[in-house]
Amino acid sequence: MQANDAQTLVLCVLAEGPLHGYAINTAIEELAGRRLGPGSLYGALTRLEAKGLIESLDESGRQRPVRLTPQGRQVLEQELRTMERVATEGLRKLGFGPA
């Protein structure tokens, strides 16, 4: 899985609300059918926070929940709309969509 894929998955699962690392990975597994490795998950979280797309909330014990920022929500929407166009066109070329 590429770094951008991991970041998109993290943003997707955070769209429903704040989560901590383990819960993020569990939600990703439910969504995509596989878990991210710790390096991929925490690397994605670090990059997303550096870009201002997510922000940390107050720690709850050992857990550090994060949430989408307004900019993160906007970037996620743009990424998903692009992915939708690419998937639709790819499926059409494979003969699975309208001509």
Side-chain angles (χ1 to χ4, degrees):
M1 179 163 286
Q2 300 295 319
N4 280 350
D5 297 337
Q7 291 176 56
T8 300
L9 287 169
V10 169
L11 292 174
C12 276
V13 300
L14 289 176
E16 290 189 298
L19 295 170
H20 58 82
Y22 182 82
I24 291 169
N25 219 0
T26 299
I28 287 172
E29 184 174 28
E30 291 173 9
L31 175 66
R34 61 179 162 169
R35 298 176 74 77
L36 297 177
S40 295
L41 175 61
Y42 291 101
L45 290 171
T46 299
R47 286 186 296 278
L48 291 167
E49 193 162 21
K51 293 175 184 177
L53 304 182
I54 64 171
E55 60 188 359
S56 295
L57 301 174
D58 291 334
E59 289 187 27
S60 174
R62 289 183 32 202
Q63 300 172 342
R64 190 182 115 206
V66 295
R67 69 175 170 203
L68 280 179
T69 63
Q71 182 185 359
R73 195 168 286 283
Q74 189 174 44
V75 166
L76 175 60
E77 180 187 2
Q78 291 169 350
E79 181 68 19
L80 292 175
R81 291 192 186 280
T82 298
M83 290 171 69
E84 179 183 36
R85 285 191 307 272
V86 169
T88 299
E89 182 62 16
L91 289 169
R92 185 192 64 76
K93 287 180 178 183
L94 290 171
F96 295 108

